[in-house]
């Protein structure tokens, strides 16, 4: 059976089963095949249930109700232009929200913590996917509970496709199963069991680090692929850990396997970039492709110096809402110097196994060549002569991590941006800080320049203006290393339809989730 026929049949049968038809003029985009979870087209989702499944460890999950069929831990897929019209039901003992990380959405649909869904309550989820093809994700984002809920499993993938994306798959001759979307999250595992989320004061300062990695919720995930190109869309869903992704042939001590970077948070690069390792911090995504002419390939996070320069302080996690709702697993959060399961943690920058690719079939002698150009993405350009908007990331031993010397104030609007404005943001991190993956809600941005990058990122800054290969794509989350300054170009254009009328509030925050809950966040408005 040739591939085109296989894809057409599989999409048609999935569509028939779900009452779903591909939008657009005809050529159906192949659905990505993913380990450990089930794919659900967003147009078919009627309810998204948020529930706790285990009160001892505190594990939670999303369940997509497709109108007759329920899919636990769904991977949502959409073509650009598809809509979702569903209801979120919060069955947790805590407030929650569903933030669609990376999507351009109105304030009411962005799912930031402005309007949390109380326990037992529901909220309408109604929007159009306007973004380029890429790997996006949805996760809990209620103030003070984000780290605990995401760690508990409330993080799911959203794969968006479009014509350029489908053309790339076709050019690569991808076989079913060789396109994989994975959420990588670390956890503390002892005796084969997950430990509950119970961060000490030190964990809340540096972030919560585990000792093992779950790929789509599975420990030691082994993915069967066919020989030929393998396209991997990877999300760092760790609360705090930075990953330095690399590949090894035949296990972790084998020879390095080079790969190509195809895309970043907001979709495909203009052209593939050959690489041997790539940084992936909390909230970031990479789209990469590899030739699996080997039997087995181990995906690793390679050891690196994570530059936690901050010492000896504590973070003030004092959200009033935390007093009113119980923790998911009956554990205290940031409340004690030590809680007893730090011994099950490996520090940031430690080597960790991520997952394994097991290759079947004979190596094909003639692979299709990688296309030289894979998308129409233009080179990043500063589109304004206006002075940059400055932001400083600081560390204070009493107050913790701060943006512009200010901890998060839920009612505050730190600044306003004109609708349609094009701004340059200059973000400087303190030398006595640590890497902060900074996330902008609602808008993709481009990295224009980096200065004073040091440590392990510096040798990857090979692309002019101090930029790393991942800086060449559309980003919504970018790591700022200690002492480093970044210049970002952001276009604050908003769609004209009713959902976006009036003032729209968004957030800019650190995606180390312990820092986010520790108030390293600011609100801004587009007016
Ligand atoms: Cu941070």
């Amino acid at each position: 059976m040739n591939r085109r026929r296989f894809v057409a049949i599989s999409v048609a049968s999935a569509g028939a089963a779900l009452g779903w038809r591909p939008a657009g003029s005809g050529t159906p985009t192949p659905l990505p095949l993913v380990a450990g979870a089930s794919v659900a087209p967003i147009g078919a989702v009627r309810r998204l249930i948020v529930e706790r499944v285990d009160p001892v460890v505190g594990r939670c999950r999303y369940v997509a109700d497709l109108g007759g069929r329920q899919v636990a831990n769904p991977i949502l897929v959409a073509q650009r232009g598809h809509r979702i019209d569903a209801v979120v039901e919060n069955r947790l003992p805590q407030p929650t929200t569903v933030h669609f990380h990376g999507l351009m959405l109105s304030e009411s649909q962005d799912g930031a913590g402005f309007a949390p869904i109380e326990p037992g309550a529901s909220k309408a989820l109604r929007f159009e996917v306007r973004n380029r093809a890429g790997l996006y994700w949805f996760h809990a984002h209620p103030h003070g509970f984000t780290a605990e809920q995401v760690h508990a499993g409330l993080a799911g993938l959203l794969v968006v496709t479009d014509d350029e994306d489908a053309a790339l798959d076709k050019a690569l001759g991808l076989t079913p199963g060789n396109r994989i979307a994975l959420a990588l999250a670390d956890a503390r595992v002892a005796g084969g069991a997950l430990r509950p989320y119970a961060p000490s004061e030190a964990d809340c300062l540096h972030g919560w680090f585990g000792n093992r990695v779950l790929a789509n919720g599975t420990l030691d995930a082994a993915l069967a692929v066919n020989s030929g190109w393998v396209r991997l869309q990877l999300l760092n869903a760790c609360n705090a850990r930075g990953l330095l992704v690399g590949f090894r042939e035949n296990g972790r001590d084998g020879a390095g396997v080079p790969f190509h970077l195809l895309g970043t948070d907001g979709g495909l690069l203009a052209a593939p970039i050959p690489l041997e390792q790539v940084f992936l911090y909390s909230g970031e995504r990479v789209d990469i492709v590899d030739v699996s002419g080997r039997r087995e390939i181990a995906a690793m996070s390679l050891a690196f110096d994570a530059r936690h320069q901050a010492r000896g302080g504590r973070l003030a996690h004092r959200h009033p809402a935390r007093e009113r709702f119980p923790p998911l697993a009956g554990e205290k959060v940031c409340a004690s110097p030590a809680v007893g399961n730090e011994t099950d943690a490996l520090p940031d920058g430690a080597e960790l196994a991520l997952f394994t690719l097991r290759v079947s079939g004979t190596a094909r002698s003639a692979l299709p060549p990688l296309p030289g150009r894979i998308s129409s993405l233009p080179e990043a350009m500063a589109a304004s002569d206006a002075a940059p908007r400055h932001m400083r990331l600081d560390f204070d031993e009493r107050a913790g991590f701060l943006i512009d010397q200010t901890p998060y104030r839920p009612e505050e609007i730190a600044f306003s941006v004109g609708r349609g404005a094009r701004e340059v943001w200059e973000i400087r991190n303190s030398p006595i800080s640590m890497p902060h993956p900074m996330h902008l809600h609602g808008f993709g941005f481009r990295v224009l320049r980096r200065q004073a990058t040091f440590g392990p990122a510096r040798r990857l800054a090979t692309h002019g203006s101090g930029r790393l290969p991942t800086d060449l794509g559309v980003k919504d989350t970018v790591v700022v290393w200690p002492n480093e300054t970044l210049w970002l170009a952001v276009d604050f254009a908003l769609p004209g339809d009713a959902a976006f009328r009036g003032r729209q509030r968004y957030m800019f925050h650190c995606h180390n989730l312990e820092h986010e809950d520790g108030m390293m966040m600011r609100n801004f408005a587009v007016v």
Side-chain angles (χ1 to χ4, degrees), residues 205 401 433-438 510-513 515-516 520:
L205 181 72
F401 294 108
S433 189
M434 56 178 272
H436 294 295
M438 300 304 296
C510 182
H511 218 285
N512 176 318
L513 298 181
H515 294 182
E516 176 181 339
M520 194 176 180

Side-chain angles (χ1 to χ4, degrees), residues 201-209 240 308-312 315 348 401 434 512 514-515:
E201 287 180 349
D203 290 329
C204 285
L205 181 72
H206 290 278
W208 166 270
F209 300 108
H308 286 230
Q309 317 280 58
R311 303 261 175 247
L315 248 66
D348 199 11
F401 294 108
M434 56 178 272
N512 176 318
E514 280 70 34
H515 294 182

